[in-house]
């Protein structure tokens, strides 16, 4: 049974589950909004998102101040275990409590039209200051076209972006050119804690993630476009 894990006073997440396969769901409390990274595919993920409070009581001065919070969802990529609950919401199967959906190009096509919520297709970096510094960034990757990552202060939530293309009966592979681009981009990020979905513990050191990707890239062969994972 997936459990809720607290990373700090602002960030918590619902762990990955496997029956059905449902990715980690991250919830970051800003001053004006929750920033939710991925929505999973299971009912527990729906309950987790819906239970995030719309009002946060902050202690300021001589008393508490109630701050209303929006709910913004960022989808890492179009695979079902990361976005199915949005599709279920659009189909009327569940009711998901959110205001704005941020998606890459391919995830946008999977979700389709949304009449009851705002949908933002992200093709270039977005930045927000909301008590925490938020960035939504497109990332080159072999795993899924149109992927996005979420940067929150010293954390980078990568979803499945560092994983290979799934072979579906053939070997899983990395695209050489795309992997090179990804390594360069990740090195430029100032954050030191990289969070990979489907990993128990979630948080990894930036250096170790980049070293692993560089070890894969080092196995490239002349005139070959792919590296077997």
């Amino acid at each position: 049974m997936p459990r809720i894990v607290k990373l700090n006073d602002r960030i918590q997440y619902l762990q990955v589950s496997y029956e059905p396969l449902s990715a980690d769901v991250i919830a970051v409390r800003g001053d004006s909004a929750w920033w939710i990274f991925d929505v999973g595919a299971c009912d527990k993920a729906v309950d987790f998102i819906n239970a995030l409070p719309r009002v946060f009581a902050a202690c300021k001065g001589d008393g508490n101040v109630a701050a209303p919070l929006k709910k913004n969802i960022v989808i890492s990529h179009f695979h079902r275990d990361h976005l199915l609950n949005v599709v279920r919401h659009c189909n009327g199967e569940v009711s998901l409590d959110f205001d704005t959906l941020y998606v890459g190009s391919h995830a946008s096509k999977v979700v389709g039209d949304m009449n009851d919520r705002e949908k933002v297709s992200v093709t270039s970096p977005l930045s927000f200051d909301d008590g925490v510094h938020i960035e939504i960034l497109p990332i080159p990757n072999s795993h899924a076209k149109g992927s996005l990552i979420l940067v929150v202060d010293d954390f980078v939530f990568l979803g499945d972006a560092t994983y290979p293309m799934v072979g579906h009966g053939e070997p899983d592979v990395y695209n050489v050119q795309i992997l090179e681009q990804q390594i360069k981009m990740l090195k430029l990020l100032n954050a030191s804690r990289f969070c990979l979905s489907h990993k128990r513990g979630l948080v990894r050191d930036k250096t170790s993630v980049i070293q692993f990707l560089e070890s894969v890239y080092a196995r490239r062969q002349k005139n070959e476009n792919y590296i077997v994972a």
Side-chain angles (χ1 to χ4, degrees), residues 120-187:
V120 178
S121 293
V122 181
T123 57
S124 59
L126 299 177
S127 179
F128 307 88
D129 286 309
D130 192 22
V132 289
H133 182 65
I134 300 283
E135 293 180 71
I136 304 172
L137 307 176
I139 183 170
N141 76 105
S142 300
H143 187 75
K145 293 180 179 179
S147 291
L148 303 176
I149 63 174
L150 180 70
V151 180
V152 184
D153 289 342
D154 196 41
F155 290 89
V156 181
F157 297 98
L158 290 159
D160 294 357
T162 59
Y163 300 154
M165 181 192 310
V166 178
H168 299 295
E170 299 295 329
D172 295 351
V173 295
Y174 288 91
N175 178 286
V176 174
Q177 184 177 6
I178 291 175
L179 181 58
E180 180 183 23
Q181 294 170 357
Q182 182 181 97
I183 291 170
K184 289 179 179 178
M185 175 181 173
L186 294 178
K187 283 183 173 181

Side-chain angles (χ1 to χ4, degrees), residues 14 19 23 28 48-50 76-77 80 119 123 146 165-166 190 196 199 203-204 212 225:
L14 178 70
E19 293 183 3
V28 180
F48 172 68
I49 293 168
N50 289 349
S76 65
H77 64 288
R80 288 170 57 90
K119 184 175 75 169
T123 57
M165 181 192 310
V166 178
N190 292 324
L196 284 60
K199 300 288 187 183
V203 183
R204 298 289 186 271
F212 169 75
N225 293 325

